[in-house]
């Protein structure tokens, strides 16, 4: 497609949405945006927003951790780390200096289903921003010494968390236990064992197979002219080769029907960290707004039911919460907290009782109204900056959502009524007897007590994986 045809397509595509970020009775609306498709299939979304001389860029690459070779979880995460450590004509130090010298930022990371590169530069330096992002993606050095350093640091961070505060690893243990045998159970950042198995050749193979122009979603928001930006993006990314393999896909995971318990032994631990979860909802679940309304009351804010019972009233913990993760297929609904070793079952029982009360009593009118007001107050700041808007647009394109995902959000929140609350609790929030449990603590002190929750499988915190060894 020629540049002229692309500009014509851009002018006629996806139309224009309401101008300016507006807040009123109708809620928040996205600024006007335009979209186009580059010759290699890359999707581009542009927003001219000239209130500050800044430009934010988000590049999302479909695939992510799902493309990691079996037994080598963390390959995509290491790749994302490495592309910041030298690319094109620049060494790692020169790449970092080029960013810092103009006061810009550039970062990359991996998620379960995507890789992401985020950059923010002054509008005067947009040419350098595009050059650096294009170099990172299309001309990464993948230096052997940098690879060894990145892998070593990744392993060290896991070991450090296990030794001190394992809360950062609870989702890795929890997802691995809940999604056993499903790709969502693989640790995006890898485990000690899987990272040790990754070689530089695996990184290069991952790059060839899982990264390419046809998988790109490029969103740019800020102080620029769209008619000028589009040909710049075409020159930078439009001729890039396609990924060597097809985009990884997954099927919906099955929900847990019992209450399996994974006990991770951390000898001498003075606290027990616990994670209770089941399969929850996808990003496009029709009930996602009602789920957020209910979860805000149950475990999504400081005054939630969970935090009130486990922290404010009982003093069993410094915090308790619940949340949904929403990938393309149903992800995790989880409850998380920690408590003194001697109070392990008391705290878990209280969390389960609170979930049971949610199912029994639902939300009263005051709780429903409070949650709706809270959500509507919290939502605008999440899509306020250039970077936030770029990330939201990329997420929408990734999941096939239109502007109504944002523009009609306030209306959807307001329309959540008692019937929707009841239906959502029944369908989206697991019953207390249908949860996978993960506990990290001193097994010698809590082993017998936690058997009442369900069949217990044990592993050691020192094991180099997040799942127990199979027999």
């Amino acid at each position: 497609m020629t540049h002229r045809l692309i500009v014509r397509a851009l002018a006629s595509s996806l139309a224009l949405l309401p101008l300016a970020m507006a807040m009123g009775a109708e809620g928040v609306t996205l600024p006007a945006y335009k979209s186009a498709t580059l010759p290699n299939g890359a999707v581009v979304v542009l927003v001219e927003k000239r209130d500050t001389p800044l430009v934010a860029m988000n590049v999302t690459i479909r695939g992510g951790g799902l493309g990691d070779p079996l037994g080598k979880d963390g390959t995509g995460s290491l790749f994302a780390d490495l592309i910041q450590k030298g690319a094109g004509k620049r060494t790692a130090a020169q790449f970092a200096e080029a960013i810092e010298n103009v006061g810009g930022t550039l970062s990359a990371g991996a998620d379960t289903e995507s890789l992401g590169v985020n950059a923010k530069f002054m509008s005067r330096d947009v040419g350098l921003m595009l050059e650096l992002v294009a170099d990172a993606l299309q001309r990464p050095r993948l230096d052997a010494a940098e690879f060894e350093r990145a892998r070593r640091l990744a392993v060290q961070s896991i070991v450090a968390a296990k030794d001190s505060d394992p809360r950062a690893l609870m989702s890795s243990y929890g997802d691995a236990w809940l999604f056993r045998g499903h790709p969502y159970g693989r640790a995006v950042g890898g485990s000690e064992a899987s990272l040790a198995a990754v070689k530089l050749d695996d990184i290069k193979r991952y790059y060839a197979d899982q990264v390419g122009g046809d998988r790109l979603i490029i969103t740019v928001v800020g102080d620029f002219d769209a008619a000028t930006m589009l040909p710049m993006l075409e020159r930078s990314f439009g001729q890039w080769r396609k990924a060597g393999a097809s985009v990884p896909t997954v099927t919906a995971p099955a929900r847990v029907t019992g209450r399996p318990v994974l006990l991770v032994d951390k000898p001498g631990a003075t606290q027990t960290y616990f994670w209770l979860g089941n399969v929850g909802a996808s990003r496009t679940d029709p009930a996602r707004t009602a789920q957020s309304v209910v979860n805000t009351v149950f475990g999504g804010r400081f005054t939630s039911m969970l935090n009130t019972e486990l922290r404010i009233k009982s003093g069993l913990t410094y915090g308790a919460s619940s949340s949904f993760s929403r990938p393309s297929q149903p992800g995790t609904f989880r409850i998380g907290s920690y408590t003194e070793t001697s109070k392990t079952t008391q705290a878990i029982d209280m969390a389960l009782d609170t979930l049971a009360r949610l199912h029994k009593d639902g939300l009263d009118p005051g709780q429903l109204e409070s949650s709706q007001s809270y959500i509507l107050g919290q939502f605008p700041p999440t899509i306020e900056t250039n970077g936030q808007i770029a990330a939201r647009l990329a997420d929408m394109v990734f999941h096939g959502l239109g502007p109504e995902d944002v523009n009609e959000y306030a209306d959807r929140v307001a329309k959540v009524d008692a019937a929707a609350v009841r239906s959502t609790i029944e369908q989206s929030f697991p019953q207390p007897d249908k949860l996978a449990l993960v506990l990290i603590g001193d097994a010698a002190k809590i082993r017998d007590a936690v058997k009442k929750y369900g069949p217990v499988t044990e592993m050691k915190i020192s094991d180099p994986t997040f799942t127990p060894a199979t027999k």
Side-chain angles (χ1 to χ4, degrees):
M1 183 183 289
T2 66
H3 164 57
R4 183 173 298 175
L5 288 176
I6 291 177
V7 171
R8 190 179 303 157
L10 181 147
S12 61
S13 69
L14 274 199
L16 298 179
L17 299 172
L19 291 170
M21 297 294 287
M23 185 64 190
E26 71 280 4
V28 176
T29 58
L30 285 166
Y33 68 78
K34 303 175 182 179
S35 69
T37 301
L38 301 184
N40 57 1
V43 177
V44 173
V45 181
L46 304 176
V47 176
E48 296 180 8
K49 188 170 175 287
R50 300 179 180 275
D51 53 339
T52 55
L54 294 170
V55 178
M57 182 178 187
N58 177 291
V59 180
T60 297
I61 306 165
R62 300 176 189 271
L66 293 181
D68 289 349
L70 289 176
K72 298 182 179 181
D73 300 354
T75 299
S77 182
L78 287 174
F79 168 78
D81 195 15
L82 281 179
I83 65 176
Q84 306 167 78
K85 304 294 172 39
K89 63 185 179 182
R90 295 179 176 88
T91 63
Q94 291 168 338
F95 194 86
E97 288 170 1
I99 299 168
E100 293 177 0
N101 286 343
V102 297
T105 63
L106 189 154
S107 62
D111 206 340
T112 299
E113 298 180 321
S114 65
L115 300 174
V117 178
N118 293 284
K120 182 176 69 176
F121 282 68
M122 296 289 289
S123 52
R124 70 189 180 202
D125 301 312
V126 70
L128 174 63
M129 179 180 74
L130 295 182
E131 177 188 339
L132 292 171
V133 174
D135 278 348
L137 290 174
Q138 299 175 55
R139 294 169 286 277
R141 292 197 169 194
L142 304 180
D143 179 78
E146 294 292 348
F147 163 71
E148 293 294 346
R149 185 177 297 111
R151 184 175 60 172
R152 183 174 64 253
L153 289 174
V155 171
Q156 288 174 348
S157 69
I158 295 172
V159 173
K162 289 182 175 183
D163 287 343
S164 55
D165 185 352
R167 277 179 291 178
L169 302 176
M170 290 305 294
S171 62
S172 295
Y173 281 105
D175 288 347
W177 185 237
L178 174 62
F179 296 114
R180 296 188 296 282
H182 189 278
Y184 283 173
R186 304 177 66 187
V188 174
S191 65
E192 296 157 84
S194 69
L195 289 168
V198 178
K199 308 302 180 187
L200 184 58
D201 283 345
D202 296 309
I203 302 291
K204 294 178 178 179
R205 191 174 301 111
Y206 178 94
Y207 177 52
D209 289 345
Q210 302 295 332
V211 185
D214 57 319
R215 298 199 186 182
L216 295 182
I217 300 169
I218 304 171
T219 56
V220 188
V221 179
D223 183 21
F224 61 85
D225 178 71
T228 302
M229 177 61 70
L230 184 64
M232 294 174 67
L233 291 171
E234 183 188 0
R235 289 192 296 271
S236 297
F237 300 97
Q239 304 304 317
W240 187 22
R241 59 151 179 91
K242 295 183 177 182
S246 58
V247 179
T249 58
V250 295
T251 57
R255 287 187 172 182
V256 168
T257 56
R259 215 156 59 176
V261 179
L262 176 64
L263 176 55
V264 183
D265 184 21
K266 182 175 169 61
T270 59
Q271 298 182 113
T272 299
Y273 302 83
F274 60 90
W275 181 104
L276 321 176
N278 208 331
V279 176
S282 71
R283 176 65 176 88
T284 57
D285 192 313
R288 62 187 182 276
T289 305
Q291 290 161 0
S292 295
V293 170
V294 174
N295 189 65
T296 295
V297 175
F298 178 65
R301 61 181 179 182
F302 182 80
T303 57
S304 68
M305 295 168 64
L306 278 173
N307 202 55
T308 296
E309 295 298 327
L310 272 75
R311 174 179 175 167
I312 298 172
K313 289 184 176 180
S314 67
L316 288 172
T317 180
Y318 284 110
S321 64
S322 63
S323 63
F324 287 89
S325 66
R326 293 188 173 96
S328 59
Q329 296 291 342
T332 306
F333 169 78
R334 44 70 63 187
I335 297 169
S337 189
Y338 59 98
T339 190
E340 292 179 26
T341 300
S342 62
K343 298 178 180 179
T344 295
T345 57
Q346 183 182 351
I348 295 175
D349 287 348
M350 190 170 290
L352 294 173
D353 289 345
T354 306
L355 180 58
R357 180 156 57 90
L358 176 71
H359 278 276
K360 178 178 180 293
D361 299 337
L363 307 186
D364 63 40
Q367 289 174 317
L368 174 56
E369 182 180 355
S370 173
S371 179
Q372 290 167 320
S373 297
Y374 179 87
I375 289 173
L376 292 178
Q378 292 289 307
F379 183 61
T382 67
I383 47 172
E384 184 176 26
T385 68
N386 292 356
Q388 290 170 331
I389 297 170
R392 185 65 179 231
L393 288 168
D395 173 75
M396 288 163 48
V397 173
F398 186 93
H399 292 287
L401 296 168
E404 68 280 356
D405 185 59
V406 170
N407 294 351
E408 299 175 7
Y409 184 68
D411 289 338
R412 294 198 304 273
V413 171
K415 289 177 180 177
V416 175
D417 57 15
V421 166
R422 172 51 58 191
S423 174
T424 298
I425 292 173
E426 292 175 355
Q427 298 296 322
S428 303
F429 288 76
Q431 292 284 348
D433 60 347
K434 294 181 174 61
L435 288 165
L437 280 69
V438 176
L439 291 74
I440 299 180
D442 191 333
K445 295 181 179 179
I446 63 175
R447 178 182 293 115
D448 292 337
V450 302
K451 289 179 180 178
K452 69 176 185 176
Y453 298 117
V456 177
T457 301
E458 289 195 34
M459 63 181 294
K460 298 177 181 179
I461 192 75
S462 58
D463 291 345
T465 65
F466 295 116
T467 54
T470 57
K471 296 182 180 179

